Amino acid sequence: MPRLTESSRQARREEIADAALRCVARVGFTRTTMADIIAESGLSAGSIYSHFPSKAELVRFASSSIFTTREDRLETAFAELGTALTPAQVMSHMLPTGDNDPGFDVLVQIWAESLTDPELGEVVSFNVARLRAVIETAITPWAATRTSSDEAAATLADKTAGALLTLMQGYIVQAAIGTKPEVPELVRLLVDAIDDRR
Amino acid sequence: MPRLTESSRQARREEIADAALRCVARVGFTRTTMADIIAESGLSAGSIYSHFPSKAELVRFASSSIFTTREDRLETAFAELGTALTPAQVMSHMLPTGDNDPGFDVLVQIWAESLTDPELGEVVSFNVARLRAVIETAITPWAATRTSSDEAAATLADKTAGALLTLMQGYIVQAAIGTKPEVPELVRLLVDAIDDRR
DNA sequence: ACCTGAACACCGTTCAAGT
DNA sequence: ACCTGAACACCGTTCAAGT
């Protein structure tokens, strides 16, 4: 059999990863079995292992594509919304309130898995950094209106992006394990509660 | 062999759970194996299975004791600090900044596991509710200073407790997977960023 | 009743054999 | 080169046999 071209090798890897993601959507991350993925992909065990050296590596690949999909969607949304976004608007767009986003469950499971899989940890770190950069870019115009120099604006945007990320992670955990908070109310309550200068 | 008294049965269950928790501290939650727990406890497989019907049940028991320990510690700390706590002070006490708390990793792993184990999900829900109640009690005097009726104070304390919980969960995720935020700075940044009334 | 440890079923991975 | 599927090693659980 002739060697697959590089692009069809890549396509095959994505086909396998997609099968894995369909399993994850159905039975959860940790509970997804190689036998599930084998059945869902329609390939054989050996074939899958000729494309991925291990289940862990497959999971990393699939996780990475989950992150990338979210980040790309967000980047596009921010670009379309124009440049005058406040942090609160950014938060609202990152945390869609309508549908029961099954992706949140998967995110929490990936975070947990990354704590015992250093290589997956790197995938997570990389993507947290990218998401942070996306947020930072989106709020930089806002930061510029509150500071006097470009440098100060960059610092504020950077640090604020980190804080928003932390709040967003809390929202995701809360949405996954319990009730999904209302973003505007959450924000209002926190501001009322925490600002000790009032 | 005579039947163990109820209290020594209980003691044996805790002995096994403690062995499990030592394994979790060493190799992580998902990666802990029954063989590890068997070796660590010094008992045999059959013996452990005469005290717990499954690994899942053992994990639930151990998880529950992790939560209870944290909640008890917090309740005591709040009681000792007196009744005039602000939400920001409550946050600071829930998220110790000094040591590299390994418990945060375990919490994230328990949250993830609870998403595919409904019974563990109940354990988590129960303990989130208890933690929320502990926070609510601690901030009720503060809420009373900002409202005109007891009823309004109770509502504010309840909703604020939920918001603090969400922020705390974000902090825990952030601390587990990346860099631990500084609580005061996090709070200040969020307030500056999010309050659209300024 | 409580405990032991060999045995079983299941899941991740490998490998000899096909095309 | 890519694929197949039986075989292997490992892990959760059971069970006949001990005290």
Side-chain angles (χ1 to χ4, degrees):
Chain A
M1 199 182 268
R3 167 172 235 142
L4 291 176
T5 63
E6 195 49 42
S7 73
S8 61
R9 251 198 93 76
Q10 199 60 27
R12 193 54 150 232
R13 279 168 66 92
E14 266 154 33
E15 191 183 320
I16 295 168
D18 286 347
L21 291 177
R22 284 194 298 277
C23 295
V24 164
R26 208 168 41 232
V27 302
F29 207 75
T30 324
R31 229 161 277 258
T32 293
T33 252
M34 283 306 286
D36 295 337
I37 299 170
I38 290 163
E40 180 71 33
S41 69
L43 292 168
S44 67
S47 172
I48 288 179
Y49 277 89
S50 83
H51 290 276
F52 293 98
S54 66
K55 185 189 181 186
E57 193 68 45
L58 203 176
V59 161
R60 276 172 222 136
F61 186 85
S63 300
S64 186
S65 94
I66 287 171
F67 285 129
T68 305
T69 303
R70 285 192 167 272
E71 288 153 6
D72 289 351
R73 201 187 329 143
L74 218 54
E75 210 167 25
T76 309
F78 288 162
E80 283 174 1
L81 285 164
T83 54
L85 294 173
T86 65
Q89 288 172 318
V90 168
M91 279 292 293
S92 302
H93 281 280
M94 292 201 301
L95 305 167
T97 47
D99 53 318
N100 231 8
D101 196 333
F104 285 175
D105 282 33
V106 175
L107 287 180
V108 173
Q109 291 176 64
I110 293 173
W111 291 339
E113 189 68 14
S114 79
L115 299 176
T116 55
D117 176 349
E119 294 193 52
L120 182 58
E122 282 175 37
V123 171
V124 169
S125 297
F126 175 85
N127 284 284
V128 167
R130 194 189 151 198
L131 181 55
R132 190 173 163 148
V134 169
I135 297 171
E136 194 182 330
T137 303
I139 62 174
T140 292
W142 163 86
T145 68
R146 312 187 113 241
T147 47
S148 48
S149 74
D150 280 4
E151 202 184 319
T155 305
L156 179 63
D158 173 57
K159 284 177 168 292
T160 302
L164 291 178
L165 211 54
T166 300
L167 184 56
M168 191 185 74
Q169 285 162 333
Y171 177 96
I172 288 172
V173 169
Q174 189 63 30
I177 72 174
T179 32
K180 188 170 289 203
E182 289 295 318
V183 174
E185 185 184 32
L186 172 64
V187 159
R188 183 169 48 74
L189 285 165
L190 284 175
V191 170
D192 283 346
I194 276 173
D195 187 356
D196 55 7
R197 284 164 305 190
R198 298 195 189 188
Chain B
M1 199 182 269
R3 166 172 236 144
L4 291 177
T5 62
E6 195 48 43
S7 73
S8 63
R9 252 198 92 75
Q10 198 60 25
R12 194 50 152 244
R13 278 167 67 90
E14 265 154 32
E15 192 183 321
I16 295 168
D18 285 348
L21 291 177
R22 284 196 297 279
C23 294
V24 165
R26 208 167 41 230
V27 303
F29 206 75
T30 324
R31 229 161 277 258
T32 293
T33 253
M34 284 305 287
D36 294 339
I37 299 171
I38 290 163
E40 181 72 33
S41 69
L43 292 167
S44 67
S47 173
I48 287 179
Y49 277 88
S50 82
H51 290 276
F52 293 98
S54 66
K55 185 188 179 186
E57 193 68 45
L58 202 176
V59 162
R60 278 171 222 138
F61 185 86
S63 300
S64 186
S65 94
I66 287 172
F67 286 128
T68 305
T69 303
R70 285 192 167 270
E71 288 152 7
D72 289 351
R73 202 191 322 146
L74 219 53
E75 209 166 24
T76 309
F78 288 162
E80 284 174 1
L81 285 165
T83 54
L85 294 173
T86 65
Q89 287 172 319
V90 168
M91 279 292 293
S92 302
H93 281 279
M94 292 200 303
L95 305 167
T97 47
D99 55 316
N100 232 7
D101 196 333
F104 284 175
D105 282 31
V106 175
L107 287 180
V108 174
Q109 291 176 64
I110 293 174
W111 292 337
E113 189 68 13
S114 79
L115 299 176
T116 55
D117 176 349
E119 293 194 51
L120 182 58
E122 282 175 37
V123 172
V124 169
S125 297
F126 175 85
N127 284 285
V128 168
R130 195 190 151 199
L131 181 55
R132 189 172 164 150
V134 169
I135 298 172
E136 194 182 330
T137 302
I139 61 174
T140 293
W142 163 87
T145 68
R146 311 187 114 240
T147 46
S148 47
S149 74
D150 280 4
E151 202 184 318
T155 304
L156 179 63
D158 173 56
K159 285 179 167 290
T160 302
L164 292 178
L165 211 55
T166 301
L167 184 56
M168 191 185 72
Q169 284 162 335
Y171 177 95
I172 288 172
V173 169
Q174 190 63 31
I177 72 175
T179 32
K180 188 170 290 204
E182 290 295 319
V183 175
E185 186 184 33
L186 172 63
V187 159
R188 182 169 48 73
L189 286 165
L190 284 175
V191 171
D192 284 345
I194 277 175
D195 187 357
D196 55 8
R197 285 164 304 189
R198 298 194 187 191

